[in-house]
Amino acid sequence: MYAQMVESGQAGTSDQDKAFQDKIDRNVRIEPRDWMPEGYRKTLIRQISQHAHSEIVGQLPEGNWITRAPSLQRKAILLAKVQDEAGHGLYLYCAAETLGVSRDELTEQLLSGKAKYSSIFNYPTLTWADVGMIGWLVDGAAIMNQVPLQRCSYGPYSRAMIRVCKEESFHQRQGFDIVRALVEGTEDQKAMAQDALNRWWWPAIMMFGPPDADSTHSEQSMKWGIKLNSNDELRQKFVDQTVPQAEWLGLTLPDPDLKWNEDRQSYDFGTPDWDEFFNVIKGNGICNRERLDARNKAWDDGAWFREGLMAHAEKTTKQNIAAE
Amino acid sequence: MSTEFPLWEVFIRGQHGLAHRHVGSLHAPDAELALKSARDVYTRRNEGVSIWVVPSSAIAALDPSEAEQNFAPSESKIYRHPTFFDIPEDVGAM
């Protein structure tokens, strides 16, 4: 997901901790200035900031195609979509900041590589069909996770998710529409869509994080109401929703073990290459270095401009005070 | 790392005559850029026709731990609600 393997803090045993858990169990939202256990605060900062970093880094693979979109309309749509991702990052950074961390600290954690972002954005976008796959599959997977998070226990995070979800459906549909145009096009275009699907399917499946049996941080986060479904639960839901869509498009999912299970009324599917997943998380994916270099370059190249804006703001404030 | 831009709270009034409503916050060097950013960040889908931005540091708020005392006085005054009064049906609409 956009936040993967978030290390979870510990709950305390004091009366205050018990009252806090009781509040969560009664579905009362926690707000920034309310008392909260340190573990809850730290876990949320990690989770929300990782989510925010994913939105920001997530602009890069698609941004790669803005200048090369096949028509003016596709270009305008992609531009709007990538702008939304920037917006989503900003909503989320602000939500994280209500927990007492500064924007500069968050930025520094991303740029130094200390903070993580979703594994999915370390894969390259080789063709225009990849842009379609990101919208259809990656945003589709993200929606699976973000819809329940609208009900999470922390007020500012929940409100940010409500805004994000309102906009996310556009992202998935524009991706599906790109893929649809390709499969309805020439043989070469259809082959391009199939090739992109072959490369994006497993990384999208892995977005949901390791299998529940290996997911060490889930239990406390679920108790605190900041993780609402297990990784495997959401993964299954995603597969069940996506298989019929792929069939409609006439594309083949690259999984020989994929088949309908009549008893479970769900699809059985194969096991992704988890070694690859952990390798990408560790920083050894195809594009990890490129992504971080791009963010660092943008930050460094913009330094003179940010300083200039602050200097101008300070000067104008002084002039206004003098004039009063 | 340079000085961080100050934080602003953003309020937006929609098209249907409701009051400005808090929608979120953002960082900007001054009010002018805060307004421009607020337009880009919070009104990409016609959410509003008017924007206010206020420095976050200018907002005073009640202490949430005192919420019980602060809001207790209104709890016992249920006669402030019209449903408190029993109006016979044959009196008609009131």
Side-chain angles (χ1 to χ4, degrees):
Chain A
M1 206 28 61
Y2 281 10
Q4 294 158 329
M5 304 175 67
V6 178
E7 196 189 320
S8 185
Q10 291 296 308
T13 48
S14 68
D15 287 347
Q16 233 172 352
D17 282 283
K18 281 177 197 146
F20 177 82
Q21 186 60 49
D22 180 56
K23 231 170 129 178
I24 288 178
D25 295 341
R26 280 184 292 126
N27 252 325
V28 177
R29 290 279 183 283
I30 309 301
E31 294 296 338
R33 294 172 67 212
D34 294 344
W35 184 88
M36 61 186 85
E38 263 319 284
Y40 178 83
R41 181 189 301 277
K42 287 193 176 137
T43 308
L44 262 181
I45 290 177
R46 275 193 291 266
Q47 180 174 335
I48 303 175
S49 64
Q50 204 186 114
H51 197 157
H53 297 327
S54 296
E55 301 283 357
I56 296 301
V57 176
Q59 295 177 96
L60 296 169
E62 291 176 296
N64 178 32
W65 279 92
I66 290 174
T67 56
R68 295 177 288 162
S71 72
L72 187 57
Q73 191 187 37
R74 291 285 184 200
K75 182 173 178 164
I77 292 171
L78 183 58
L79 202 55
K81 198 257 181 191
V82 173
Q83 192 190 12
D84 273 355
E85 304 298 359
H88 296 179
L90 295 179
Y91 309 152
L92 286 159
Y93 279 132
C94 283
E97 286 172 73
T98 63
L99 292 157
V101 63
S102 76
R103 179 71 61 91
D104 274 0
E105 284 172 78
L106 295 172
T107 307
E108 196 277 323
Q109 287 169 3
L110 171 66
L111 298 182
S112 67
K114 188 175 166 245
K116 292 191 173 60
Y117 55 87
S118 179
S119 56
I120 195 77
F121 300 118
N122 292 310
Y123 292 87
T125 39
L126 303 179
T127 69
W128 172 249
D130 292 39
V131 178
M133 290 302 156
I134 291 185
W136 174 38
L137 301 177
V138 175
D139 290 299
I143 290 172
M144 289 284 159
N145 179 53
Q146 289 173 159
V147 166
L149 278 176
Q150 293 178 102
R151 295 179 283 108
C152 79
S153 64
Y154 189 57
Y157 192 25
S158 145
R159 291 189 284 273
M161 281 298 106
I162 290 170
R163 286 196 69 88
V164 166
C165 284
K166 270 189 196 156
E167 302 177 347
E168 201 77 72
S169 184
F170 149 54
H171 297 179
Q172 192 184 15
R173 286 177 177 217
Q174 65 86 37
F176 183 84
D177 193 61
I178 289 173
V179 180
R180 184 184 170 183
L182 289 171
V183 300
E184 289 173 354
T186 64
E187 278 307 306
D188 281 350
Q189 286 170 325
K190 191 170 176 187
M192 187 194 271
Q194 183 63 55
D195 167 67
L197 178 59
N198 294 348
R199 284 181 289 109
W200 285 93
W201 177 249
W202 289 112
I205 291 289
M206 290 191 278
M207 274 179 76
F208 294 92
D212 292 351
D214 307 329
S215 184
T216 43
H217 306 298
S218 295
E219 200 186 333
Q220 184 58 53
S221 290
M222 287 181 116
K223 236 179 129 185
W224 275 333
I226 52 180
K227 182 177 176 123
L228 292 127
N229 305 84
S230 81
N231 297 349
D232 286 337
E233 217 175 292
L234 290 174
R235 186 170 9 248
Q236 181 72 60
K237 213 174 153 195
F238 173 72
V239 171
D240 288 345
Q241 181 183 292
T242 312
V243 172
Q245 295 169 356
E247 280 169 6
W248 189 92
L249 289 163
L251 294 171
T252 311
L253 295 170
D255 180 356
D257 297 325
L258 186 77
K259 63 169 190 295
W260 178 249
N261 183 323
E262 191 60 38
D263 295 338
R264 291 199 305 122
Q265 288 292 301
S266 258
Y267 285 93
D268 291 336
F269 54 97
T271 309
D273 181 356
W274 289 113
D275 289 341
E276 176 184 313
F277 173 78
F278 289 113
N279 207 28
V280 174
I281 292 275
K282 270 189 222 135
N284 303 321
I286 304 172
C287 298
N288 292 58
R289 274 194 56 187
E290 193 185 322
R291 301 295 183 236
L292 270 195
D293 286 350
R295 289 314 308 155
N296 273 287
K297 184 176 186 303
W299 180 255
D300 294 342
D301 289 355
W304 68 273
F305 189 61
R306 292 192 302 277
E307 280 160 24
L309 289 172
M310 269 319 282
H312 175 75
E314 276 156 23
K315 194 176 88 183
T316 332
T317 313
K318 272 188 204 141
Q319 282 169 349
N320 287 346
I321 291 169
E324 270 165 20
Chain B
M1 215 158 275
S2 61
T3 336
E4 193 175 275
F5 291 162
L7 193 65
W8 301 75
E9 299 302 322
V10 180
F11 300 82
I12 288 177
R13 177 157 56 74
Q15 298 174 18
H16 304 294
L18 295 174
H20 283 78
R21 183 165 168 257
H22 182 245
V23 293
S25 44
L26 51 80
H27 288 273
D30 55 28
E32 189 189 344
L33 276 172
L35 283 167
K36 289 201 165 96
S37 298
R39 186 202 56 190
D40 291 344
V41 179
Y42 291 105
T43 65
R44 288 194 303 280
R45 286 172 178 77
N46 291 321
E47 286 93 336
V49 291
S50 168
I51 302 178
W52 291 347
V53 290
V54 180
S56 304
S57 57
I59 290 185
L62 287 176
D63 183 345
S65 66
E66 289 166 11
E68 222 169 297
Q69 299 97 289
N70 280 321
F71 300 107
S74 75
E75 271 171 30
S76 56
K77 299 173 182 60
I78 49 169
Y79 42 80
R80 282 176 171 158
H81 297 278
T83 45
F84 176 78
F85 302 95
D86 195 17
I87 305 293
E89 227 171 273
D90 48 3
V91 171
M94 185 182 287

